[in-house]
Amino acid sequence: MGNLKLKGKDILKLGYPNNQSINIALEVMKRNFATKNIHHVKSLLKEILQNPEQFEKDLTFGQIAEALLSSKKTEKRMLNTNRASFQIFGNNISDEAKNQLYTALKLPVSVSGALMPDAHSGYGLPIGGVLAVENAVIPYGVGMDIGCRMSLSILDTPISYLEGARAKYENALAEHTKFGMYETHKSHVDHEIFDRDTFDMIPVLRRLKGKAVKQMGTSGGGNHFVEFGEVEITKEDKQIGLPKGKYLGILSHSGSRGLGAEIAQYYSRVATEQCPLPKEAQQFAWLDLNTHLGIEYWTAMNLAGDYASACHDDIHRRLVKAVGGRVKARIENHHNFAWKEIHNGKEVIVHRKGATPANENELGMIPGSMTAKGFIVRGKGNPDSLHSASHGAGRAYSRGECRNLFTQNDIKKELKLKNVTLMGGNAEEAPMAYKDISEVMNAQSELVDILGTFQPRIVRMDK
């Protein structure tokens, strides 16, 4: 932590109460002022002590001010006996996923919840889980890949080009997309997001800025992909603004990379310390949005979401430049996020862990698998699902099960049958690993209208 020779007893001598405020002050000052003169640091601490109210909303010193203003001990929170109201869509959902939602519904802050038809068990909230809470945010309820999203660009290129010049499109994916922890682009865009002062205001973000610059325009591992395919518009919609017919499309699925993962890890740990819960519910530790840490996480989460969107912009820009054509429409939606929304007349924080926002008339993209069609949808704003829909087909088999069940040969047969070229990928993401997307769509006809489809043709994933 640098060379600041500050000790707890120095802070005590300044007049700080002998409680948690000393540890917090020590951590904050060492984290932010490691190279500063100790006298300067002590004068800052004295200033905060004399007038903590003035520093309450300060992103650097707010945590110290809050500790001084509140001498409450961290007490273990208990779960409610009864669950908050909920709704489950679809039948093919494991008991494990349901039980994860049931635990979340007993949190003292929980208002209501829902499970989407693609739901399966995850860490903390199940994937496909939606949870509304009061004035709090649950870092693990948002998830590790903050702001992970789908992004679809529909081009004016005739669809016949995809088959006729397949090698050109394969080369574009090979040369202009990067995946996993180590692949990065040689040249980086100077995106406006890196000029934001949020990076300098929050210590964890300051440390991660270099990594974020390096990973701009790249995709994660696992089920993340970039693909060329056939878009078919089956219902005209003013927002899309395209006549019925077939178009060439680029579809990408990825999130906020190392930036989001490290924000999630840091604040999940901090939330656990601040909000002790019974063992089965510990992953639902929340941060109160009236506290400094709650505001800090909310700010960092929103930045990670914007960064994820900027990454998709960069991926699509590179590919369009490589293959030509013009973007006629763009549809994008994210999951693994928390939103401030009004439900039943009051503001709640809605966590969608692997669930698509489906407010009335909101457009979205729900993918199938690497061989199955995905669907362009328009939300119906159904209150029972907290204005949400599934974020994909959902896994039928866990990653571990897939490694034992499916061989490379099985995957090759399925790809050939559906005329799909796969670059990278592995058995964990086999087309057979996923539920039947048409069953999932049938189970959510009350949640979304279908406006079109996307059939993958050339798929690139992490090796």
Side-chain angles (χ1 to χ4, degrees):
M1 279 198 178
N3 52 12
L4 180 65
K5 303 272 193 291
L6 184 70
K7 293 189 168 68
K9 63 182 180 190
D10 300 327
I11 300 172
L12 201 57
K13 277 180 189 166
L14 293 172
Y16 273 66
N18 192 359
N19 61 20
Q20 189 61 11
S21 64
I22 290 180
N23 294 337
I24 289 170
L26 206 55
E27 190 192 334
V28 169
M29 297 323 250
K30 285 190 172 182
R31 197 169 59 189
N32 293 287
F33 300 96
T35 57
K36 297 290 183 207
N37 176 300
I38 193 158
H39 299 297
H40 171 66
V41 169
K42 282 182 179 177
S43 69
L44 283 172
L45 284 169
K46 208 159 192 178
E47 218 182 310
I48 301 164
L49 177 65
Q50 282 162 354
N51 207 341
E53 287 86 357
Q54 263 191 6
F55 293 91
E56 226 184 329
K57 299 287 182 214
D58 186 286
L59 275 171
T60 306
F61 302 123
Q63 222 180 323
I64 304 173
E66 205 172 88
L68 286 167
L69 290 164
S70 140
S71 53
K72 284 182 207 158
K73 288 203 288 285
T74 308
E75 288 170 22
K76 193 165 188 174
R77 315 302 214 281
M78 299 316 290
L79 297 182
N80 293 338
T81 323
N82 298 324
R83 301 191 286 242
S85 63
F86 67 96
Q87 202 65 275
I88 294 176
F89 294 86
N91 305 313
N92 190 11
I93 297 170
S94 71
D95 288 342
E96 197 184 345
K98 288 177 188 172
N99 289 330
Q100 284 181 323
L101 179 71
Y102 296 160
T103 303
L105 291 166
K106 289 182 179 178
L107 298 172
V109 290
S110 289
V111 176
S112 58
L115 268 188
M116 299 302 102
D118 63 336
H120 53 95
S121 65
Y123 297 104
L125 263 188
I127 316 299
V130 183
L131 184 70
V133 303
E134 238 175 316
N135 200 42
V137 63
I138 303 167
Y140 241 120
V142 167
M144 295 309 282
D145 193 6
I146 298 171
C148 185
R149 64 193 56 224
M150 304 302 310
S151 187
L152 172 69
S153 286
I154 305 173
L155 308 186
D156 61 357
T157 311
I159 191 63
S160 58
Y161 282 32
L162 190 55
E163 211 48 62
R166 202 156 180 145
K168 174 176 129 173
Y169 291 97
E170 285 177 23
N171 289 341
L173 285 176
E175 287 170 31
H176 299 285
T177 62
K178 304 290 177 190
F179 282 82
M181 284 173 74
Y182 307 109
E183 290 186 6
T184 54
H185 292 290
K186 285 189 181 76
S187 64
H188 296 294
V189 284
D190 193 17
H191 198 278
E192 66 78 23
I193 199 162
F194 299 120
D195 300 329
R196 295 193 192 174
D197 56 5
T198 318
F199 272 111
D200 302 315
M201 290 158 79
I202 299 174
V204 71
L205 296 182
R206 197 181 307 148
R207 182 169 58 74
L208 292 169
K209 187 175 180 178
K211 182 181 260 190
V213 170
K214 214 171 159 184
Q215 291 189 329
M216 171 57 87
T218 68
S219 307
N223 63 353
H224 294 151
F225 58 76
V226 183
E227 47 198 34
F228 284 109
E230 294 172 24
V231 173
E232 185 172 6
I233 301 294
T234 51
K235 250 190 209 176
E236 287 185 22
D237 179 269
K238 276 182 194 164
Q239 290 181 81
I240 300 175
L242 292 173
K244 287 182 188 177
K246 291 194 173 184
Y247 301 84
L248 185 116
I250 300 168
L251 181 64
S252 53
H253 172 221
S254 189
S256 50
R257 311 296 283 112
L259 174 71
E262 294 205 35
I263 290 169
Q265 280 164 355
Y266 174 73
Y267 288 100
S268 293
R269 179 173 62 75
V270 171
T272 305
E273 289 164 6
Q274 298 282 314
C275 178
L277 283 159
K279 194 165 181 276
E280 74 274 18
Q282 193 54 72
Q283 287 176 319
F284 298 114
W286 67 84
L287 295 168
D288 189 312
L289 283 177
N290 287 336
T291 65
H292 171 77
L293 278 168
I295 295 163
E296 202 179 270
Y297 172 76
W298 190 264
T299 308
M301 176 194 76
N302 277 284
L303 182 78
D306 290 347
Y307 173 76
S309 184
C311 278
H312 284 271
D313 288 347
D314 194 42
I315 291 165
H316 289 237
R317 178 189 65 79
R318 288 172 190 271
L319 288 175
V320 172
K321 194 177 169 189
V323 300
R326 280 178 308 174
V327 177
K328 301 296 282 180
R330 184 90 182 266
I331 296 162
E332 187 176 328
N333 60 268
H334 54 311
H335 45 265
N336 293 3
F337 211 70
W339 288 260
K340 285 181 182 174
E341 295 179 356
I342 305 292
H343 290 275
N344 287 331
K346 73 172 180 180
E347 187 184 79
V348 287
I349 308 300
V350 179
H351 299 71
R352 292 187 178 93
K353 175 95 167 282
T356 300
N359 296 300
E360 194 171 358
N361 294 325
E362 185 171 15
L363 297 180
M365 177 69 217
I366 300 174
S369 70
M370 62 172 75
T371 56
K373 277 181 181 174
F375 292 84
I376 298 166
V377 297
R378 181 176 55 210
K380 291 186 173 184
N382 188 321
D384 291 340
S385 70
L386 290 158
H387 299 190
S388 310
S390 85
H391 85 311
R395 296 191 79 91
Y397 300 100
S398 72
R399 289 186 162 88
E401 286 171 327
C402 290
R403 287 194 293 271
N404 298 324
L405 285 171
F406 310 122
T407 64
Q408 286 303 317
N409 218 23
D410 296 331
I411 297 168
K412 276 178 189 163
K413 272 186 202 163
E414 184 67 16
L415 290 164
K416 196 175 177 186
L417 190 68
K418 299 287 169 65
N419 186 23
V420 174
T421 303
L422 173 64
M423 303 156 76
N426 56 38
E428 292 177 10
E429 296 306 322
M432 305 77 81
Y434 289 87
K435 295 180 187 179
D436 181 340
I437 186 69
S438 52
E439 279 179 27
V440 169
M441 295 311 293
N442 288 340
Q444 56 186 352
S445 56
E446 300 165 40
L447 311 183
V448 290
D449 281 320
I450 294 168
L451 304 177
T453 58
F454 176 90
Q455 174 61 56
R457 285 288 169 237
I458 308 167
V459 179
R460 170 96 207 267
M461 301 181 88
D462 195 16
K463 293 180 185 66

